[in-house]
Amino acid sequence: MSNLTSVLSDLLVAVPQLRTQVYFKASLTALSHAMEDQVLASTSDQPLLIASFQRERFYRQEAHRYKRLARQTNQVYVLAAPETDFTNASEYYETIAFDPTESLSQEWHLVAIGQNYSTCLICRERPSIVQIKPSPHLPAVDMDPTRQFEGIWTSERQISCIAAELLLQRILHYRPELAAKIELARDRFGIFPQRRSSAKKSKTAAPITLPSLDPAAIDTNPFVQRLVTYLQAGQYKLLKAYRSIAAQERKERLINSITAAIRKGSATGLPLHPQEILKVAVRELGIALAACRCLIYRAQANDDRVAIAHEYLQPGISSVVGKVMPLQKNPLFQEMTCQQGSICIVDTQTDSRVTDSPLLQQLVKQLDIRSWLLMPVLYQGKLLGIVESHYCGFQPHQWTADETSLVEAIATQVGAALIQAEAYANLEDLNQQLEALDRTRSNLIAITGHELRTPLSTIQVCLESLATEPDMPLELRQVMLSTALTDSERMRKLVQDFLTLSNLESGRVEWHPETLPLDECVELALSRVRTRSNPDDLPQIVSTIPVQLPLIRVDGDWLVELIAKLLDNACKFTPPTGQIAIAARTNGGTTLEVTVSDTGRGIEPNRLEIVFDRFYQEEGALRRTAGGTGLGLAICRQIVNSWNGKIWAESAGKDKGSTFHFTVPTVE
């Protein structure tokens, strides 16, 4: 019989002072990896590790890590709902296949208990608030990062022991033969077995009697909590991006539904061009009404005149294609625009609107119009065009309700078709933006996961070591502190680059142009680079800025930031034995051209444009050797764009160095 109770619920009943919080899937992955890395880095003898995966496919992604963990201890238990070949087994570690219908299939748990440390992560999944229906016109979108979980994460030992006992009870339920092994783990780490209630088959957790807990002890390290908060903030931004994608996808489905209706009038079944839409519509309307002349033309409320390009004619009727029709002086156009409705004139010879207007009398005479119908083509209250139907003859035509309804329906379809056609004209750009957003989303996940998780693991190991090893030698203690500070600075730079690029792209930066010499900015940038780096690791940097250059007019702080980032980029890909040169020259106009060249790795010709894209990494986001987030050159481009300058890169190829150019406005 499967256990239908939630481990998280049982834990909250046992420890009422616990408070849950919401985590994103990526945050839980980072925390889980950090906890596992703590076990791998620990010298504790035979720690206890219990992991519960919702599905076997999630377990398969992490199976290699648990093989490594099994080398540290034989007390590793992995639970998952089977899908293919996951079964109860004892190989590298104990695997437990639970019933897919029980509560564990909605939960994510990880408990690690050693002699000198303990951590637990107990969460259950919440319903997703972002729903994107599949669309054949959009690439598949991976919604995994938007999954949300509710639960607790703590390093408080008593809570970890309670969580471990709850999971051990589940393990015994499915694999009672492990009772002796589990009892050894309980004895070793002081895990108190849950007291059985008299109703053994009860589906609710039995109460657990433990010493009273200090509520203050439940809080985890505030410093680590802040790091998790940074990661959570990034996930919330990602969620907003997913919401934007969902809204764009809904808009595209609307466009596609309109397109499907409009394509019925196309012989080829392909999206129609706006002019083709008007051509098809005027022909179909003329045939349906059996009118002498039908016109459809684009027009807006403030147009003064319009040239006729599309018409349907009965034999013997004069054409008006190419003629210019007045609009603003036409009282019928003014009336139709104001009331946004049709105008029916049964007899132009007796209707006062025509007889009182010399302009309309002239038009009626030239075009031989006896009965006249004008229908606006509207879309959401905006005038897009006009449909006209003329009857030319001696007898007036009595407009019926069916005829006006038909013209109105066709005008509505034409309005939708015109909007749809304009949307199709921009569809390629929309798809490119969606693809770029999806690439940004993927890179954001990869960069955030790698750049935050790696230093987070290192910092946690260092802090744990400092906290649990009071007899650590002073030299090793200094090494630990230095490593933690270095990695925290690395994370700060990552967050700062994200914020800087976001502010630049959103236009939230206030620019303060000033008149100043270029060489001062170059010297400040050089000083910044040399201060942040070990001089022994830097290549030789040579500045050849002529003193007679004209003054420039830019925001000095941002110019220094631009030059410093270009120098950092050059230093990153140039060995200490190489050389970096900074030069400048007049461009023969109102700008200076500044160059930063190096003798380093170089750039392949087909990558010279994309190096300025966000998250671009020459070796891939997770395979690079030089480090960084791929945001530096994107920030440089945004800074140069602020003063309408240009920035570009040149290189003869791999291992042949590279040169970055940008222009700066001079004082006029």
Side-chain angles (χ1 to χ4, degrees), residues 24 26-31 226-236 448-449 452-453 456:
F24 284 92
S27 303
L28 293 186
T29 300
L31 287 172
R226 284 196 294 271
L227 299 182
V228 176
T229 301
Y230 280 130
L231 188 58
Q232 290 284 85
Q235 291 300 309
Y236 275 109
T448 304
L452 288 180
R453 187 181 67 207
L456 175 62

Side-chain angles (χ1 to χ4, degrees), residues 124-151:
R124 62 187 168 202
E125 188 160 7
R126 307 175 73 199
S128 176
I129 62 175
V130 177
Q131 300 291 337
I132 299 182
K133 297 180 180 179
S135 172
H137 304 282
L138 282 179
V141 179
D142 178 18
M143 297 304 297
D144 195 53
T146 66
R147 292 167 58 201
Q148 295 185 35
F149 294 76
E150 178 186 18

